[in-house]
Amino acid sequence: MDLLPEWAPNVHPLLVHFPIALLCTAVLLDAAGLALRTAPFWRRAATVLFVLGAAGAVAAFFTGRAAADSVLPPAAANPVLTEHADLALWTVWFFGIYAVVRLVAHRFDRTATPAVAWALFLVGAGGLVLLYETGEHGAELVFAHGVGVRAAAEPAAPLVLSADTTAGPVPTEDGGWAWKPARAAAWKARFAWPEGPPEALRSALVDGGPRGDVLALEAASGPVTFLYERPLGSLQADLAVHLDGFSGAFRFVHHWQDAQNHHFVALEDGRIRQGRVAGGAEEVMDEAPLASSGWLALRVVADGTHFRAYANGRLVVHGHGPAPSPGPAGLRLDGTGTVLLDHLTVQNLHPTPDADHHP
């Protein structure tokens, strides 16, 4: 018997209200305990609810993490999702430690001491600020961005890019860039080439079927890396590639500092790996099997300490690591055969009013 209602995308929205109610009620009972000092029942009841609320927060956190991994949020929702996840983790730690402190205070019969009682009340009440911020970000995900909402299916809007993007990538208003190749080689002048000269990468336009003309890339001698020199902090990249005719490692690289320091999402040998190169040493944050055939819609999100990659609308890897310094993004090929590229767009997840004026 499936206990999850058909309308619910996951169990998180069913659980999340319990810790909110339990922790808010616990603070109210703690206030009653201060007003009625001769009645220890209120303080004991508050402690029980704080413990239950902390346990509920743990359950909400893990179901929320699973829920976040089951959806494909729009670019504007990614920063909110990252902040919601971080706030939820801090809330779990806060109330988990606080519940333990309350239990210890009760064990040694210290909650009746006025100074201790007031301190416990003020700290617990202060924790509601964290709880509120976490819930507010979760509500924004649902009501402002529609994350996790089952709406009537709508056909996906076709990718529409400016004609200027055909000769090479062009800056976008959010501080990112967009590229829909329609020239065989003119685009090379708009990229930087930190690994391998432009001549090391053969390129041609070929028939991509329903996609029209697409760019065929073949490394004459690898590795070859090309970047659009527009440094970004938090980003979302969307690209469509066809790797059936390529043998080797294909990477989307981002936050590039140099060949010894950058982040990447790599497709190689039927696997996808997400990680970084730091001081020349490669560190894999997450990896998973990825059996792909035909065109692959790849989305890469790097926001603060959260790194996610989606394949054809499904999350496949989700890693965590130190927030990188801003840097440019691009592609790296190391192998033989041909990669087909339909488009590549990189969005700035935290645009500033003057983002489009970046050189």
Side-chain angles (χ1 to χ4, degrees):
M1 179 180 178
D2 189 358
L3 298 180
L4 188 66
E6 290 186 5
W7 56 264
N10 49 70
V11 73
H12 182 63
L14 302 181
L15 291 181
V16 71
H17 300 92
F18 288 98
I20 295 174
L22 289 168
L23 293 171
C24 289
T25 304
V27 171
L28 293 177
L29 293 183
D30 216 17
L34 286 173
L36 305 170
R37 295 182 183 177
T38 58
F41 165 80
W42 301 105
R43 293 189 298 275
R44 293 172 183 169
T47 298
V48 171
L49 292 188
F50 273 121
V51 172
L52 293 176
V58 172
F61 173 77
F62 283 106
T63 59
R65 189 165 69 174
D69 288 351
S70 69
V71 297
L72 182 67
N78 274 307
V80 184
L81 178 60
T82 297
E83 292 173 3
H84 180 55
D86 289 342
L87 286 166
L89 181 60
W90 298 338
T91 301
V92 166
W93 276 108
F94 178 90
F95 281 109
I97 294 173
Y98 178 76
V100 171
V101 171
R102 295 256 339 183
L103 287 172
V104 171
H106 265 287
R107 172 66 179 82
F108 292 99
D109 198 25
R110 303 293 294 174
T111 57
T113 305
V116 174
W118 273 102
L120 289 174
F121 169 74
L122 292 175
V123 173
L128 294 186
V129 176
L130 262 180
L131 187 67
Y132 170 81
E133 287 295 330
T134 304
E136 189 273 336
H137 281 71
E140 183 179 352
L141 283 172
V142 175
F143 297 107
H145 301 288
V147 175
V149 175
R150 291 186 176 178
E154 296 181 0
L159 181 72
V160 178
L161 297 176
S162 165
D164 292 338
T165 67
T166 60
V170 296
T172 53
E173 291 184 356
D174 65 1
W177 50 278
W179 181 32
K180 177 70 172 82
R183 303 281 183 87
W187 58 273
K188 291 184 178 181
R190 296 195 183 182
F191 283 93
W193 298 78
E195 288 186 301
E199 297 76 21
L201 188 66
R202 302 189 186 101
S203 60
L205 289 178
V206 299
D207 183 9
R211 294 177 177 269
D213 288 342
V214 297
L215 189 65
L217 301 172
E218 182 179 357
S221 60
V224 178
T225 301
F226 57 96
L227 310 165
Y228 187 60
E229 291 191 301
R230 201 171 211 213
L232 291 171
S234 295
L235 62 83
Q236 174 180 302
D238 289 278
L239 58 155
V241 292
H242 192 295
L243 302 176
D244 290 359
F246 181 73
S247 177
F250 171 84
R251 293 188 175 194
F252 173 77
V253 294
H254 56 98
H255 294 89
W256 182 279
Q257 310 303 315
D258 52 48
Q260 306 300 312
N261 299 276
H262 59 272
H263 283 65
F264 66 86
V265 169
L267 303 173
E268 183 180 12
D269 297 331
R271 298 188 69 80
I272 181 169
R273 293 181 295 122
Q274 186 173 52
R276 65 173 183 156
V277 176
E282 185 173 296
E283 174 188 340
V284 176
M285 299 178 186
D286 195 13
E287 63 179 314
L290 181 63
S292 64
S293 178
W295 283 98
L296 175 69
L298 182 66
R299 172 172 291 184
V300 177
V301 177
D303 188 17
T305 61
H306 296 255
F307 303 89
R308 300 184 288 272
Y310 303 80
N312 294 328
R314 180 178 63 88
L315 183 86
V316 285
V317 288
H318 184 176
H320 298 84
S325 300
L331 300 179
R332 184 179 191 269
L333 282 69
D334 187 7
T336 59
T338 302
V339 172
L340 301 182
L341 174 68
D342 180 58
H343 66 267
L344 171 56
T345 62
V346 181
Q347 299 180 65
N348 182 4
L349 295 181
H350 296 283
T352 57
D354 59 345
D356 56 325
H357 298 302
H358 194 287

